[in-house]
Amino acid sequence: MSRLRSAVQKGKRAALENTEVIKSSNKKKSKPAIKEEEPSETEPSSSYHFFHDPTDILLFRSHLLQWYDQNKRELPWRTLAMTEPDVNIRTYGVWVSEIMLQQTQVATVIDYYNRWMKRWPTVEKLAAATLEEVNQMWAGLGYYSRGRRLHESAQKVVSELDGQMPKTTAELLKQLAGVGRYTAGAISSIALGQVTGAVDGNVIRVLCRVRAIGADSTSPAVTDALWKIADTLVDPDRPGDFNQAMMELGARVCTPKSPLCDQCPVQTHCHAFRKIYKSIAVSTVCSHSLTVAPGSCDLCLSEDWDRQLGVQNYPRKPVKKAPRVEQTLTCIVERQRAGEEKEYLLTQRPSKGLLAGMWELPSMLLEADVSENKYKGLICDMMQKLLEKSLHANSVQFVGEVVHIFSHIHQTYIVFSVRVSDWSEEEQEQKTCWLTKSALKEAAVSTGVKKIMKLYESSNKVDSKEKKTKPNPEKRSNKIKKSKGAVTNEGPKQLCLSKFFSTSKAAAKS
């Protein structure tokens, strides 16, 4: 028995010596010294995922803000927040930027933001604009309901709040449409200096890695934990800068793929990085996972650690729901009077729902049991309702197909065209207008419409070069899956595109 005990003790000493050798070799490779943060036996299992030591919190703030001061991007809304003395204009400007930045990249937003603020530098100016002008300015930015909500909220601020932007996080949430918990926190901390966290997609990723939170990032438990951590960490002296620094870190260093851990200013606080380091050094896992029973912690990884992913194990996201597949029949209707520029027919979408209030080419959502040999007949029926004019199916020509991806819809536009030589001068029940090609480029139309017109122009160029006849459309399935929620073209009357309209009687009445 004594020999066995002696052998075990020798084995332990050898393992300790090997560990020290590995650690020593890693130090020679300039690996950072990492302080262990093990949960005590008296702490709840999830305490591992939170900050408790005031010194660590102060160091985290200091390291992050020092990095931000040296590396932050110069962005127009940041400049406004730092230099604008008028708190109302400052709050308005930050609000506009945050709405534009929702699900849109910074590089895309910059030009839109500059044009917007030049045209509507105050909430009063925006409130006085028409929805048509707002949609026109927003065209191409996507998620068009954001622009409409900005406009509606600006009118509310002017009419109900005496032109004064809300001054607290709670009031921002209550008074402004489209402002959620994150947006309210960002505006109030950046523009008003309020001490509150702000958790967006970038911050979720940073905090999940820093605190090794691997559960579904959309779950209530994880959401609550992330906001608690954010509120704990935010610097009371520089809350706006701190929140922007967290976003900047997630956007530029702690990226979804290929994160730059060697450039991270808070690396020594990062449990995910520590887990990789320990895995390399001693081929083990984090002590928290050894002390907590599987499934007992709402914040831990529910799946096995993937060594190849490294810090990208965090956060684990739920599988995205497949987008709804829709097919829309679209017709480009062209007319031209002698000596005048060609014009194209547009109709207005409903005031609510997808692309609310936007202008589009005459379209209808295809449903089940519609075969392709019925497409031209459907277009003729649609034109009869719009123009009160009978068309022959042979006058309708196939142009091609355009695929456009919305956040939740995979849309395929099946595009046809028709030229009309005369049209009804009677006022139509439905909101319509005729726009020239140049006016169409500046009108409040979606990216999908622009793609369709680009396809049409390219097909005309082929014809003009007298190339061979365009190939027939690929053979399509005789049956099309039924799509839910068919889109209609009816909607309440909106302020018109008068400066773009034709001077014709029909155009004036439309």
Side-chain angles (χ1 to χ4, degrees):
M1 182 65 69
S2 61
R3 290 181 179 179
L4 178 59
R5 186 179 296 109
S6 176
V8 171
Q9 291 175 347
K10 287 182 179 179
K12 289 182 178 180
R13 285 196 297 271
L16 289 172
E17 289 172 358
N18 288 337
T19 300
E20 291 301 321
V21 169
I22 293 172
K23 288 182 178 179
S24 176
S25 64
N26 283 330
K27 288 180 180 179
K28 292 178 182 178
K29 295 178 182 179
S30 301
K31 290 288 183 182
I34 299 177
K35 178 184 175 182
E36 295 298 332
E37 296 181 18
E38 309 294 354
S40 69
E41 295 180 0
T42 59
E43 289 177 332
S45 60
S46 62
S47 65
Y48 172 76
H49 302 289
F50 293 87
F51 283 85
H52 299 283
D53 188 342
T55 302
D56 287 337
I57 294 172
L58 289 173
L59 285 174
F60 188 99
R61 294 169 179 167
S62 175
H63 293 159
L64 180 65
L65 286 170
Q66 184 178 10
W67 171 84
Y68 178 70
D69 289 338
Q70 296 174 354
N71 296 277
K72 66 182 177 182
R73 290 170 290 182
E74 296 298 327
L75 301 173
W77 47 89
R78 287 180 179 169
T79 301
L80 180 144
M82 293 294 294
T83 61
E84 177 55 59
D86 187 318
V87 66
N88 213 49
I89 295 177
R90 190 167 67 240
T91 305
Y92 165 73
V94 174
W95 170 45
V96 171
S97 72
E98 288 298 334
I99 298 299
M100 286 187 171
L101 287 165
Q102 290 174 357
Q103 303 185 58
T104 308
Q105 295 182 347
V106 168
T108 302
V109 168
I110 291 175
D111 287 341
Y112 280 90
Y113 181 82
N114 287 334
R115 291 198 301 270
W116 182 286
M117 294 301 293
K118 182 177 180 179
R119 185 167 184 178
W120 302 306
T122 65
V123 68
E124 292 85 359
K125 294 285 188 181
L126 176 58
T130 67
L131 179 56
E132 184 62 48
E133 291 171 328
V134 170
N135 283 337
Q136 180 183 336
M137 179 69 75
W138 201 274
L141 194 56
Y143 300 95
Y144 294 92
S145 61
R146 295 180 296 169
R148 186 178 73 254
R149 287 171 181 163
L150 271 172
H151 184 241
E152 291 173 354
S153 294
Q155 292 180 324
K156 180 180 180 180
V157 168
V158 171
S159 63
E160 299 180 17
L161 305 179
D162 196 27
Q164 296 301 304
M165 292 291 296
K167 297 295 191 295
T168 66
T169 304
E171 285 299 307
L172 287 163
L173 276 168
K174 179 181 178 181
Q175 300 292 349
L176 303 182
V179 169
R181 189 176 182 182
Y182 157 73
T183 305
I187 296 171
S188 62
S189 63
I190 296 170
L192 303 169
Q194 294 189 2
V195 183
T196 179
V199 180
D200 72 344
N202 284 319
V203 176
I204 288 173
R205 184 167 57 257
V206 171
L207 292 181
C208 282
R209 289 173 179 173
V210 166
R211 295 291 93 177
I213 297 175
D216 178 0
S217 60
T218 63
S219 68
V222 172
T223 298
D224 289 345
L226 294 175
W227 276 96
K228 287 178 182 177
I229 297 170
D231 287 337
T232 298
L233 291 176
V234 64
D235 191 304
D237 297 323
R238 301 175 60 188
D241 285 345
F242 181 88
N243 286 333
Q244 290 181 96
M246 289 288 286
M247 300 173 208
E248 191 88 336
L249 184 66
R252 301 178 64 191
V253 175
C254 195
T255 50
K257 297 181 179 180
S258 304
L260 307 174
C261 293
D262 58 332
Q263 299 179 23
C264 180
V266 294
Q267 183 195 91
T268 55
H269 301 272
C270 183
H271 284 342
F273 183 79
R274 180 179 297 111
K275 188 167 183 176
I276 297 172
Y277 177 70
K278 290 184 70 175
S279 177
I280 294 172
V282 294
S283 299
T284 188
V285 294
C286 72
S287 60
H288 176 61
S289 62
L290 298 176
T291 60
V292 177
S296 64
C297 177
D298 291 336
L299 305 181
C300 280
L301 278 171
S302 58
E303 304 171 28
D304 292 336
W305 168 266
D306 187 337
R307 182 176 296 182
Q308 291 185 337
L309 287 176
V311 299
Q312 293 173 229
N313 278 279
Y314 306 100
R316 289 288 176 92
K317 296 182 179 179
V319 178
K320 278 189 175 182
K321 184 179 179 180
R324 183 171 75 248
V325 176
E326 292 184 354
Q327 293 174 317
T328 296
L329 196 60
T330 299
C331 187
I332 300 170
V333 184
E334 178 185 295
R335 75 178 187 184
Q336 185 173 24
R337 290 176 168 177
E340 296 183 3
E341 189 178 350
K342 291 179 181 178
E343 294 177 316
Y344 301 94
L345 180 65
L346 278 84
T347 62
Q348 191 174 35
R349 292 183 63 86
S351 60
K352 294 182 180 180
L354 182 69
L355 303 176
M358 301 290 286
W359 292 86
E360 67 177 358
L361 299 164
S363 301
M364 64 179 298
L365 191 64
L366 287 171
E367 298 188 2
D369 302 322
V370 178
S371 60
E372 64 181 56
N373 59 11
K374 295 182 179 179
Y375 290 169
K376 290 187 176 182
L378 290 172
I379 288 175
C380 289
D381 291 343
M382 181 167 57
M383 292 302 101
Q384 175 68 40
K385 294 178 181 178
L386 285 175
L387 301 177
E388 298 181 359
K389 175 182 174 61
S390 297
L391 298 177
H392 194 281
N394 291 338
S395 66
V396 180
Q397 301 297 317
F398 176 75
V399 177
E401 294 184 0
V402 170
V403 174
H404 186 65
I405 309 298
F406 298 94
S407 60
H408 59 297
I409 300 174
H410 185 285
Q411 183 71 260
T412 300
Y413 296 100
I414 305 169
V415 185
F416 288 80
S417 68
V418 64
R419 292 182 174 90
V420 294
S421 57
D422 60 333
W423 49 88
S424 172
E425 295 291 338
E426 298 297 326
E427 183 175 357
Q428 306 299 323
E429 293 183 3
Q430 188 175 10
K431 180 69 177 181
T432 61
C433 70
W434 292 89
L435 297 185
T436 64
K437 179 180 176 181
S438 57
L440 182 58
K441 290 182 178 180
E442 299 181 9
V445 297
S446 68
T447 302
V449 171
K450 293 177 180 178
K451 287 182 178 180
I452 292 170
M453 292 305 298
K454 185 176 181 180
L455 172 67
Y456 181 61
E457 291 172 12
S458 64
S459 68
N460 285 340
K461 288 180 181 178
V462 171
D463 291 339
S464 66
K465 292 180 181 178
E466 298 181 350
K467 290 189 175 182
K468 293 182 179 180
T469 304
K470 297 189 298 291
N472 292 326
E474 294 181 1
K475 185 67 177 176
R476 306 178 59 85
S477 172
N478 287 332
K479 303 292 182 181
I480 298 175
K481 293 183 179 180
K482 185 175 182 180
S483 300
K484 297 181 180 180
V487 178
T488 66
N489 288 315
E490 296 180 355
K493 191 169 184 178
Q494 182 188 24
L495 291 174
C496 64
L497 292 167
S498 57
K499 66 179 179 179
F500 292 135
F501 283 12
S502 166
T503 56
S504 69
K505 179 180 178 182
K509 289 186 177 182
S510 65

